[in-house]
Amino acid sequence: MAASSAEAQLVTRLLQEWRNGNNHALDEIMPIVYDELRRMAARLLAAEKPGHTLPATALVHEAYFRLVDADIAWQNRAHFYAIAARVLRRVLVEHARTRSRQKRGGGAEKIPMDEAIAIGLEASAIVVDLDEALSRLALRDSRKSDIVQLLFFGGLTYEETAEALGISPATVHRELKLAKAWLHRELAQSSA
Amino acid sequence: MSPVSNTLRWQRVEELFYAALELDPAARSAFLDATCGQDLVLREELESLLRSSQHSLNFARKAVVEVAQQQSNAHVRAGERIGAYRLMKVLGKGGMGTVYLAARADDLYEQRVAIKLMHPGYAPAESMRLRLGEVLTGNGEL
């Protein structure tokens, strides 16, 4: 990750102490967790417009409280990123689902993708479809699904994604090609 | 198909997909002839994936960013101050609003309350949301 290895080790140690029931470790790690989530969410929001970042406070808080409330057997920093990306994904997909339902009203009817884009239905519907396609991909090849989850929902860079999964950046690039092709095919089918 | 043969099959798809991607598009058909042989299902799988690989998945990534922006705009944020109270965390959500645990922000007295804020759809303007926010109890318990 971007942080020094000393900090990475500190985070890993605190996560493990917390897991072993040391609540003092929790006090120490929560500000770090919060900062990491804020960094991830900010990068996620800035992905389309670098330099122009909306405050992602609502997203960060939502993800933060879910992480704190969840009973997670933390292993290390990489594990934190994986869980955090999953939590961010869940928060965003729930938001998209609610919005999608509101917009579509009761009688949900599939419409072509370009038409959906034109009338502004697109984003939430696409995110819901992407989430479902990612879950199907995970059944077949969980690592490829994890790669997309870390990049798309976790806001991580290729290098961070590689580190979080313990693989090389070259492998991330290569596997992402197949993951994207597979997902594109699924999304094209679900919007047809 | 058994899980094992499914896995083997996927590995084969992967291996051939990466190899075919390296080739000039004009050479791919001959490559698939040679590698897939009579296995038309495998060939169709590879052809459809190679076709899809020509399209960008950027629209999906943009959609995630857009939803993240919507999500950030749609909620009153924990940490924000509402009158004399600072919102601390979400206690629960209903169809019409979200209930937050809040504490006095002015340190006048120790008091935790639950504050219900209506969803933006029910009260678009910030002032409206504030007016609809109601203190439920005085001890932080619902």
Side-chain angles (χ1 to χ4, degrees), chain A residues 93-157:
Chain A
V93 168
E94 279 175 21
H95 182 82
R97 267 187 209 288
T98 310
R99 211 177 147 98
S100 213
R101 263 200 306 273
Q102 285 168 350
K103 280 193 180 174
R104 285 184 184 181
E109 208 174 300
K110 291 270 183 185
I111 56 171
M113 201 187 292
D114 14 355
E115 201 178 313
I117 288 167
I119 62 169
L121 228 179
E122 63 313 19
S124 36
I126 290 171
V127 168
V128 169
D129 287 344
L130 174 65
D131 172 64
E132 287 167 2
L134 264 182
S135 299
R136 291 194 295 275
L137 179 59
L139 293 177
R140 177 170 294 205
D141 191 328
S142 60
R143 191 161 83 186
K144 287 180 184 55
S145 172
D146 287 344
I147 289 173
V148 176
Q149 180 169 276
L150 288 164
L151 288 170
F152 281 35
F153 289 95
L156 296 194
T157 64

Side-chain angles (χ1 to χ4, degrees), chain B residues 63-94:
Chain B
V64 174
V65 174
E66 198 177 320
V67 167
Q69 285 166 347
Q70 288 167 2
Q71 197 273 351
S72 276
N73 290 335
H75 296 280
V76 171
R77 296 143 190 172
E80 263 183 19
R81 214 175 137 148
I82 302 286
Y85 295 91
R86 187 169 306 284
L87 303 182
M88 294 166 67
K89 68 175 283 186
V90 175
L91 290 174
K93 281 183 187 168

Side-chain angles (χ1 to χ4, degrees), chain A residues 44-45 47-49 54-59 61-62 65 69 91-92 95-96 99 113 122-124 126-127 130 137 140-141 144 151-153 174-175 177-178 180-185 187, chain B residues 10 13-14 17-18 21-22 44-46 48-50 52-53 55-79 87-90 93:
Chain A
L44 189 60
L45 283 167
E48 288 306 311
K49 290 178 227 159
L54 280 169
T57 325
L59 180 56
H61 276 265
E62 188 71 33
F65 286 117
D69 289 344
V91 171
L92 294 178
H95 182 82
R99 211 177 147 98
M113 201 187 292
E122 63 313 19
S124 36
I126 290 171
V127 168
L130 174 65
L137 179 59
R140 177 170 294 205
D141 191 328
K144 287 180 184 55
L151 288 170
F152 281 35
F153 289 95
R174 199 169 71 119
E175 300 213 349
K177 282 183 189 159
L178 179 51
K180 279 180 167 176
W182 196 90
L183 288 169
H184 192 280
R185 190 177 66 182
L187 291 178
Chain B
W10 178 244
V13 167
E14 251 195 290
F17 175 83
Y18 298 138
L21 266 193
E22 298 293 311
E44 171 46 36
E45 171 79 355
L46 283 160
S48 70
L49 286 170
L50 289 166
S52 296
S53 73
H55 300 284
S56 165
L57 201 64
N58 249 354
F59 72 94
R61 190 167 196 160
K62 281 185 183 162
V64 174
V65 174
E66 198 177 320
V67 167
Q69 285 166 347
Q70 288 167 2
Q71 197 273 351
S72 276
N73 290 335
H75 296 280
V76 171
R77 296 143 190 172
L87 303 182
M88 294 166 67
K89 68 175 283 186
V90 175
K93 281 183 187 168

Side-chain angles (χ1 to χ4, degrees), chain A residues 55-88:
Chain A
T57 325
L59 180 56
V60 175
H61 276 265
E62 188 71 33
Y64 175 78
F65 286 117
R66 287 185 195 209
L67 272 174
V68 174
D69 289 344
D71 188 15
I72 298 164
W74 297 101
Q75 291 154 15
N76 52 37
R77 191 180 173 86
H79 186 226
F80 164 76
Y81 281 103
I83 303 270
R86 198 196 302 162
V87 169
L88 288 167

